[in-house]
Every structure is written in C-alpha cells, then in structure tokens.
Amino acid sequence: MNSQKIIKETKQILISTLTIGLIMLLTGIIFNILDVNIIKNNKAVIGLSFIPLSLSLLYYIKLIRIIKNPRKMKKTIINETDERIIVSKNKADAKAFRILQSILFLFYTGYTLIIPEDIFESVGWWILLALLIISFGIQSILYYIEIKNSNSSK
Amino acid sequence: MKNIKMKIARIELDLSQDQLADMVGVTRQTINLIESGNYNPSLNLCIEICKALNKTLNDLFWKEV
C-alpha cells in the first residue's frame, strides 16, 4: 500500500481539473464581458466549467480526508491499490472501451449509409471518422508505449 | 488449488484474514481468494505475504507435483 502515491495522484488530478475548470470559467466570463462569440453562447463554456471544478472539489475533499485521517482512509486506499481490484477495474475499462468503440463504429456506418450526402461534406461525419480512426490507432500506440516502458525499466 | 500452507501459517501467528490483509495492503477478500485458490497473487504480493508470515516463498507458494 502506498498512501504517498495516492496523495500524489490525487494532487495531480486536483491541480489539472482545477486548472481546466478555471481556464474555462475565466474564458467564458471574459468572452461574455467583451461580447466575443467564438461559440454561439458563451454561457455554455461557463456552465461546462462546473464539471471540472466539481471534480476538483471532490478530489480536494478526498485529499483533506486522507491527510487528516490516514487510518480512516486506509480501507479506501487499500480498495484503490489492491492488485486484484485494479485488475478487475482494468478488465472492465477494456470491455467498456470495446463496447464504446463498437457503438462508434455502428454510428459511423449508419450515418454514412443513411445520409450519404454528408460524406466528406458534414463536420459531424468527419468528426465521427476521426474518432473512429483515433480509437483504433490509440490502442496500438498505447500498447507500443507500454512495451517500451516495460523494456526500458528492465 | 487451495493454499492450505498459507492458511496454517496465518493461524500459527494468530492472525485473522483482515489483519493479514491490513499488513500486506490488500483487501480481506483478496486474502480469502488466495487461500481458497481462486486468485493467483503477483510475485510482489507473494513476497509481502511471506514477509508478514515469516515464511519463504517455497514454504507458502511452492506446489508439489
């Protein structure tokens, strides 16, 4: 069990979500004040910023609880670091990714067949195609990176 | 296959599954699954268990053919 590692990871997520949330919030507010319309409604950016900000708040509460009461948080930490649970979570994540990839493929195929006039024309079609290609490519890239990391650590 | 050696070693030290799990940093369920033979621990976890029970890898995890 490595509580220091958990604390470090929690801090990293807290800082990154807080940064993203603040950037989005400030961007939305500034664009709203200056009346600059990069998207239709700047309030949408302000609204979306609450998602990363809420996440950062949750991780802040988690961090405080770990630092103040490490014994009480021990069970929670063990649940996050137990190798069996991590393996199960990774398997579930992999299956979820496969399901989402299949759904994306079905969406793309359906969209292409049902609305052929959008092929090469619509932004939505291009986005779907890009996401599909990225989803296939990213697996190979991450696998290559993992192999490289495990070889370099030897 | 059940790991009876590990169970005996744990009982000899008067440790519950929960206590052993706490010592090695896993859940009680993981210890239970290892003892019942339904989970294969990693080498690192095997070593941690051996250290906690003052035994060697051979003592606890070697399978006689």
Side-chain angles (χ1 to χ4, degrees):
Chain A
M1 182 189 69
N2 195 343
S3 57
Q4 290 304 318
K5 195 182 167 191
I6 299 276
I7 290 172
K8 191 182 168 189
E9 278 175 8
T10 309
K11 276 184 185 170
Q12 282 173 346
I13 296 171
L14 168 64
I15 290 166
S16 51
T17 50
L18 188 62
T19 308
I20 292 168
L22 285 173
I23 288 172
M24 286 174 74
L25 183 65
L26 290 171
T27 309
I29 291 171
I30 291 168
F31 283 176
N32 216 16
I33 293 170
L34 298 175
D35 215 16
V36 173
N37 287 323
I38 293 189
I39 59 170
K40 263 190 177 173
N41 193 346
N42 290 320
K43 283 184 184 173
V45 178
I46 296 172
L48 284 173
S49 72
F50 284 112
I51 298 171
L53 286 174
S54 309
L55 263 176
S56 65
L57 179 63
L58 280 172
Y59 275 97
Y60 175 71
I61 292 168
K62 182 182 173 184
L63 186 64
I64 294 295
R65 285 174 75 189
I66 292 172
I67 292 171
K68 278 192 175 175
N69 289 313
R71 285 182 66 84
K72 277 188 183 177
M73 285 301 292
K74 206 176 176 184
K75 285 287 179 193
T76 311
I77 292 169
I78 286 175
N79 279 331
E80 287 189 24
T81 55
D82 184 326
E83 60 175 47
R84 182 181 58 85
I85 292 173
I86 289 172
V87 164
S88 301
K89 278 184 186 170
N90 286 341
K91 277 185 186 172
D93 285 346
K95 282 181 185 170
F97 174 74
R98 280 276 178 230
I99 290 169
L100 285 172
Q101 201 179 35
S102 308
I103 291 171
L104 188 59
F105 178 73
L106 285 171
F107 262 126
Y108 169 74
T109 313
Y111 189 17
T112 306
L113 290 171
I114 294 167
I115 313 176
E117 52 270 15
D118 272 4
I119 299 173
F120 300 122
E121 301 292 333
S122 154
V123 172
W125 184 85
W126 280 111
I127 289 172
L128 266 179
L129 179 64
L131 284 173
L132 195 58
I133 291 170
I134 288 168
S135 76
F136 286 127
I138 206 164
Q139 266 184 287
S140 309
I141 293 167
L142 288 174
Y143 176 72
Y144 172 73
I145 292 170
E146 272 299 318
I147 296 289
K148 204 177 168 188
N149 284 341
S150 64
N151 284 340
S152 62
S153 64
K154 281 181 189 171
Chain B
M1 202 170 105
K2 286 189 181 184
N3 196 331
I4 297 168
K5 292 181 198 174
M6 181 177 148
K7 189 171 181 176
I8 292 170
R10 177 176 60 78
I11 292 167
E12 276 174 2
L13 291 176
D14 204 21
L15 290 173
S16 65
Q17 285 184 340
D18 206 21
Q19 285 168 321
L20 178 58
D22 232 19
M23 287 166 78
V24 300
V26 296
T27 58
R28 188 201 61 78
Q29 288 81 2
T30 301
I31 297 294
N32 185 34
L33 287 167
I34 294 170
E35 286 183 358
S36 61
N38 290 321
Y39 175 68
N40 286 325
S42 67
L43 184 57
N44 282 337
L45 182 53
C46 288
I47 290 169
E48 290 300 315
I49 292 170
C50 289
K51 280 181 187 172
L53 298 177
N54 295 322
K55 299 283 182 188
T56 64
L57 283 170
N58 267 353
D59 293 336
L60 299 183
F61 295 103
W62 184 253
K63 283 184 184 176
E64 299 295 336
V65 177

